[in-house]
Structures are given as structure tokens and as C-alpha cells.
Amino acid sequence: MKKDNIFIDIITGKIKTDILYQDDLVTAFHDKNPKAPVHVLIVPNKLIPTVNDVTDQDEQMLGRLFTVAAKIAKFNNIHNSGYRLIINCNYHSGQEVYHIHMHLLGGQFLGPLLSII
Ligand code: AMP
């Protein structure tokens, strides 16, 4: 299982990336390999590898992922047409970066939820 985590370097500014939003709990930036016209990653500032690792203390941060997703969707004017939020967990989901992140995808019709290979 690959255990790369480049997101901490983006959050801390060690790697320069266009930060779309940042506060005390989360950071948002463009996915480097976009799968839709709008493809933003919303990431907790605290390293939590997978959804399996969340605790009750993370509930405020997890809620912030959604409120920031809604703000970014509105900013991109895709809030009415619609969008998809995805959080992958572990190998079968295809998770590549072991630092929880929410994908916000939109800007076109996204088709069926799952493509199973
Ligand atoms: P997941 O498969 O859910 O772990 O998604 C990881 C996502 O992170 C993929 O869509 C990658 O394209 C994206 N990604 C990996 N490295 C970077 C990076 N340096 N900057 C922006 N997005 C990245």
C-alpha cells in the first residue's frame, strides 16, 4: 500500500500551490490531475490518514469540509447545476494520498457514481 502524503507540504507552504481557501482547520487547492472542469481537494490541516482514523474530536473539522465545499461550489457557480463530493478510504477505493481529503467535482454532468474495474 502506497503511503505518500504530499498534502502536509502543501498545507504548510513547503510546496507552493495555488491555495483556494485556508483556515484553522482545512485547506483547499486544485487537484493536480483534474477529472472534471472543477476538481478541488479540501484537506484537514491535521494529518489523519484515513476515515478509519477519525475520532469524536474531529467532528468540527469534518463538518468544515462540507461548509467549505459548499462555499467553493458557490464561488465556481456550480451549486445549482450540482457537484459530487468523494472521500476515498484505503485500497479498494483507490485512495492514493494517506491524508483524508474531500474531492469536489463538478462543472459538467458526472455520470454514474461508480466505475468498477
Ligand atoms: P485519492 O485517490 O482520493 O487519494 O486522491 C488523491 C488525489 O490527489 C488525486 O486526485 C491526485 O491527482 C491528487 N494529488 C496528488 N498530488 C497532488 C498535488 N501535489 N497537488 C494537487 N493534487 C494532488
Side-chain angles (χ1 to χ4, degrees), residues 87-104:
I87 299 176
N88 288 320
C89 179
N90 273 340
Y91 174 68
H92 275 185
S93 74
Q95 183 174 1
E96 290 173 14
V97 179
Y98 280 78
H99 183 142
I100 286 182
H101 49 282
M102 175 182 276
H103 295 255
L104 187 167

Side-chain angles (χ1 to χ4, degrees), residues 13-42:
K14 197 169 158 195
I15 291 178
K16 293 292 166 217
T17 303
D18 195 11
I19 300 292
L20 303 175
Y21 178 92
Q22 187 164 49
D23 63 23
D24 57 325
L25 292 178
V26 305
T27 300
F29 48 89
H30 291 290
D31 194 295
K32 73 168 184 187
N33 184 20
K35 302 288 194 301
V38 176
H39 188 172
V40 173
L41 301 176
I42 308 159

